[in-house]
Amino acid sequence: MDLGTGGIRDVRRINEMLQYFKLAIKNITQRKLRSWLTIIGIIIGIAAIVSLISISNGMEHAISEQFERFGIDIITVMPADFMGSQSAVTSQFSDRDVKTIEKVSGLKYVIPLIMQTAKVSFHNQEKYLQVFAYEASPEIEDIWEALGFEAEKGRFPREGQGKVVGLGSRAATDLFNDEIHVRNNIYINDAKFKVTGIAKEIGNSQDDNSIFMPLDAGEELFNETDYTGIMIIAKEGVDVDGAADRIERRLENHRDDKDFQVMTASQIIERISGILAIIQLVLVGIAGISLLVGAIGIMNTMFTSVLERTRDIGVMKAIGAKNSDILTIFLLESGLLGLVGGIIGIILGMALSKLVEIIATHALGPVLKAYFPWYLILGALLFSFIVGCLSGIMPARRASKLNPVDALRYE
């Protein structure tokens, strides 16, 4: 078969690259201890980056799945400084605020909420849990079930039943030494409440550890006539963002202040994603220090390798090796050091992520799942190889420019 001049040249070039590759591997394996010490920084850096990004991506996916399951037609009105900790929230919304929102077109339900941290006692054991008091009418109960709050045992309490509560699954089964059952009595801020229902596990630790009660019981318990938040369900087919804007304008005109925030599910996801992205960037930057240390280690090793193999370089040049051939050999060697460190770092990073997932699942329930997209793995491999190659450029250039006569005389 006639390959032609171009085909023969290509085959020859491939064979040369294979020989360079074998030579680079041989040089690395001949100095095993030095090679391992060299790539430790790469291993640590890549492992940190992979584990941090996979956990961050897992958190973002878990949050997105939670909101997708709840639906995107939810609008929440909360205090302006609300950052997710109910213990710091004060009641800021009145019945007049609720009625003002109800006048906005396109809304199906407007549900006032009281959210407080309270002392919960059962069989002489105390815990501090989040208590949600909400309008517990039959119509609203259907909405809560649509949002995932379904009773596994008994039923959730309704308005007018007195001091009754429903419990999240973990609040009933895991938080106290003795499991809480339907019809048991618990004490909330030293007030006696009867358990009427226990919810199915949602997978969100905050909800699964919470206590739910009718709004009238919450107003009496916390001595509140105002609300800490308002949840709104938009009608089907309504532009949720447009409805949120109308609510914000109407409420601002009514209250004559802007001491509140109106958030849609998509906006909450965007805000959380932005916060996670900033945290991820900072942590990856810190992990990058390990990569820098690894890159310096590779550079130092390659400079040492050039000195040790000066005579070998002289022999190769004497028998016809070009500067580009010497450059390629040393770049391949440094790139392989980075690549091996990257492979081991990826495996270690995935193992660390899975360990965090297992610990989080054991402690909080299935709230976090490490996520390993293909671009993370491929990107980490390419990045580690590029770091290795860049670290070897200066030593490789030095090796390629050695004078063969001087190299042969080198002792």
Side-chain angles (χ1 to χ4, degrees), residues 40-46 48 284-296:
I40 282 177
I42 301 294
I43 292 173
I44 294 173
I46 293 296
V284 168
I286 295 172
I289 296 174
S290 296
L291 283 176
L292 178 61
V293 172
I296 294 172

Side-chain angles (χ1 to χ4, degrees), residues 52-337:
L52 290 171
I53 292 179
S54 62
I55 292 171
S56 178
N57 285 342
M59 292 175 61
E60 190 171 344
H61 275 260
I63 292 168
S64 297
E65 288 176 2
Q66 191 81 8
F67 277 100
E68 285 174 4
R69 188 178 67 197
F70 283 0
I72 60 173
D73 56 350
I74 300 175
I75 304 170
T76 57
V77 181
M78 298 298 297
D81 57 351
F82 177 74
M83 294 299 292
S85 176
Q86 279 81 30
S87 59
V89 176
T90 57
S91 298
Q92 295 193 14
F93 302 102
S94 64
D95 283 322
R96 291 183 62 191
D97 293 325
V98 175
K99 288 181 171 57
T100 298
I101 295 173
E102 287 175 343
K103 295 176 183 177
V104 176
S105 61
L107 307 184
K108 187 174 183 180
Y109 293 109
V110 179
I111 309 168
L113 306 169
I114 295 176
M115 297 173 283
Q116 296 286 348
T117 299
K119 181 181 71 174
V120 181
S121 306
F122 181 67
H123 288 182
N124 298 319
Q125 189 178 7
E126 295 180 355
K127 299 286 184 179
Y128 284 85
L129 304 177
Q130 299 295 335
V131 176
F132 290 81
Y134 61 95
E135 185 181 334
S137 65
E139 297 82 6
I140 303 299
E141 187 174 303
D142 293 337
I143 296 298
W144 283 107
E145 289 184 359
L147 296 178
F149 295 94
E150 297 183 55
E152 184 174 36
K153 300 176 182 177
R155 62 180 302 163
F156 277 150
R158 291 183 177 177
E159 299 291 333
Q161 291 184 328
K163 294 182 178 181
V164 291
V165 294
L167 304 182
S169 62
R170 287 173 58 82
T173 59
D174 294 343
L175 296 185
F176 296 90
N177 293 333
D178 299 326
E179 184 175 342
I180 302 175
H181 300 282
V182 174
R183 298 188 183 88
N184 282 159
N185 293 320
I186 64 173
Y187 288 84
I188 304 176
N189 287 352
D190 300 322
K192 185 178 179 180
F193 284 79
K194 183 178 181 180
V195 178
T196 62
I198 297 172
K200 293 181 180 179
E201 183 177 4
I202 294 175
N204 179 306
S205 60
Q206 178 174 305
D207 294 327
D208 288 335
N209 291 341
S210 296
I211 295 178
F212 308 91
M213 65 175 59
L215 189 60
D216 55 1
E219 290 172 335
E220 181 180 350
L221 175 67
F222 298 114
N223 192 26
E224 289 281 4
T225 56
D226 290 340
Y227 313 114
T228 48
I230 303 171
M231 187 174 75
I232 299 134
I233 311 295
K235 292 180 179 179
E236 187 175 349
V238 170
D239 177 13
V240 177
D241 291 329
D245 290 338
R246 292 194 297 274
I247 292 170
E248 186 171 7
R249 288 195 302 270
R250 183 72 67 91
L251 202 54
E252 186 175 356
N253 291 335
H254 163 70
R255 292 168 60 94
D256 197 26
D257 66 46
K258 191 63 176 65
D259 193 24
F260 63 91
Q261 55 181 328
V262 180
M263 300 287 292
T264 63
S266 59
Q267 289 172 336
I268 294 173
I269 293 174
E270 287 178 8
R271 177 175 293 189
I272 293 173
S273 298
I275 294 172
L276 289 176
I278 293 172
I279 295 173
Q280 188 181 93
L281 184 62
V282 172
L283 294 176
V284 168
I286 295 172
I289 296 174
S290 296
L291 283 176
L292 178 61
V293 172
I296 294 172
I298 291 176
M299 186 181 299
N300 181 61
T301 295
M302 296 309 299
F303 270 122
T304 304
S305 182
V306 170
L307 292 174
E308 290 178 343
R309 290 149 57 188
T310 299
R311 285 182 60 85
D312 295 338
I313 294 169
V315 171
M316 293 175 66
K317 284 197 166 187
I319 61 176
K322 301 175 183 177
N323 287 354
S324 59
D325 297 325
I326 304 299
L327 183 70
T328 301
I329 291 171
F330 278 86
L331 282 180
L332 269 176
E333 188 171 329
S334 61
L336 284 173
L337 285 172

